[in-house]
Amino acid sequence: MHPAIDRVLISRETLQKRVQELGQEISHDYRDTCPVMIGILKGSVQFLADLMKSTTVDHSIDFLCPSSYAGGTKSTGIVRLLLDLRESIEGKDVLLVEDIVDTGLTMSYLLDNLRTRRPRSLEICTLLDKSVCRKSQVPIRYRGFEIPDEFVVGYGLDYKELYRNLPYIGVMKPLKTEKNKK
Ligand code: IMP
Ligand code: MG
């Protein structure tokens, strides 16, 4: 295990199995249409890549990159779009693919923003749901796992841009701050 990780919360095998199930569910629900899956950068990259492979209906992909965390572990609630979609979503069935919904502030902002572009439908697929931390309610259509209020990394999720490459979801060891450094 990586030295920065205290324990594995969700193993590689468990992730793969659940992503397969989500892909099957999405394939069934969208069988009569050709949805666009929008990956929320950067955290959704591993999830989106696996989800695409387990989704058998034709679909396109696009990306959005919001910013709110400024590299720390607490949400600021201030959202900016660092990268916008390439294609119009007007009249399309849109599925937002996110790594984690925590306070929900980022997702609320994205939903409000995307609704003004008049998609035919707009749904959320999140790998992780930290619902105990919710400040803004968002309707989640597909949820991989409900997790407790702990800062997690791996499988796309980062701490200060690191650990996105880990194939599992892990809880980080307590951070050494100036105060508790020995
Ligand atoms: P929210 O606006 O508080 O819902 O946060 C959404 C974004 O914050 C997610 O898309 C993640 O990029 C990031 N985030 C929230 N919790 C965690 C975590 O435990 N680990 C890593 N990133 C997180
Ligand atoms: Mg994210």
Side-chain angles (χ1 to χ4, degrees):
M1 202 166 53
H2 191 287
I5 301 300
D6 186 45
R7 65 179 205 281
V8 175
L9 191 66
I10 309 169
S11 72
R12 180 182 203 148
E13 295 71 29
T14 307
L15 285 169
Q16 297 300 329
K17 187 166 168 281
R18 185 71 186 118
V19 176
Q20 274 294 330
E21 291 171 357
L22 289 172
Q24 283 166 11
E25 212 180 318
I26 289 165
S27 304
H28 178 263
D29 295 351
Y30 290 86
R31 62 193 177 279
D32 296 325
T33 179
C34 180
V36 49
M37 290 197 194
I38 299 181
I40 312 302
L41 294 175
K42 302 172 192 172
S44 72
V45 284
Q46 287 217 48
F47 179 38
L48 179 68
D50 287 339
L51 191 64
M52 288 167 67
K53 285 178 273 184
S54 56
T55 299
T56 51
V57 289
D58 287 345
H59 62 275
S60 61
I61 60 164
D62 208 337
F63 295 97
L64 272 178
C65 185
S67 123
S68 77
Y69 269 45
T73 60
K74 284 276 171 295
S75 186
T76 58
I78 300 163
V79 182
R80 285 186 304 141
L81 269 193
L82 302 180
L83 177 89
D84 207 341
L85 301 174
R86 282 285 286 275
E87 306 290 336
S88 163
I89 54 166
E90 190 170 346
K92 293 197 180 156
D93 292 304
V94 174
L95 184 59
L96 287 174
V97 179
E98 176 64 300
D99 53 357
I100 182 167
V101 178
D102 183 8
T103 62
L105 294 170
T106 307
M107 210 26 114
S108 286
Y109 168 85
L110 292 179
L111 286 177
D112 287 347
N113 182 306
L114 295 180
R115 273 192 201 111
T116 66
R117 308 181 196 193
R118 294 186 295 166
R120 187 159 83 137
S121 66
L122 181 59
E123 302 287 356
I124 298 170
C125 174
T126 185
L127 178 72
L128 307 176
D129 184 3
K130 238 194 244 181
S131 62
V132 288
C133 300
R134 206 70 94 246
K135 288 183 185 160
S136 180
Q137 293 307 320
V138 287
I140 296 175
R141 179 81 174 80
Y142 306 95
R143 173 189 291 100
F145 303 89
E146 173 77 45
I147 65 161
D149 182 13
E150 280 182 293
F151 194 80
V152 293
V153 294
Y155 198 64
L157 291 103
D158 74 306
Y159 173 66
K160 294 192 173 174
E161 294 303 324
L162 296 179
Y163 319 122
R164 294 190 195 274
N165 57 311
L166 302 178
Y168 51 81
I169 298 284
V171 178
M172 286 189 63
K173 285 183 182 156
L175 298 168
K176 284 196 178 119
T177 61
E178 284 310 313
K179 231 170 121 191
N180 64 21
K181 221 183 254 175
K182 277 261 141 60

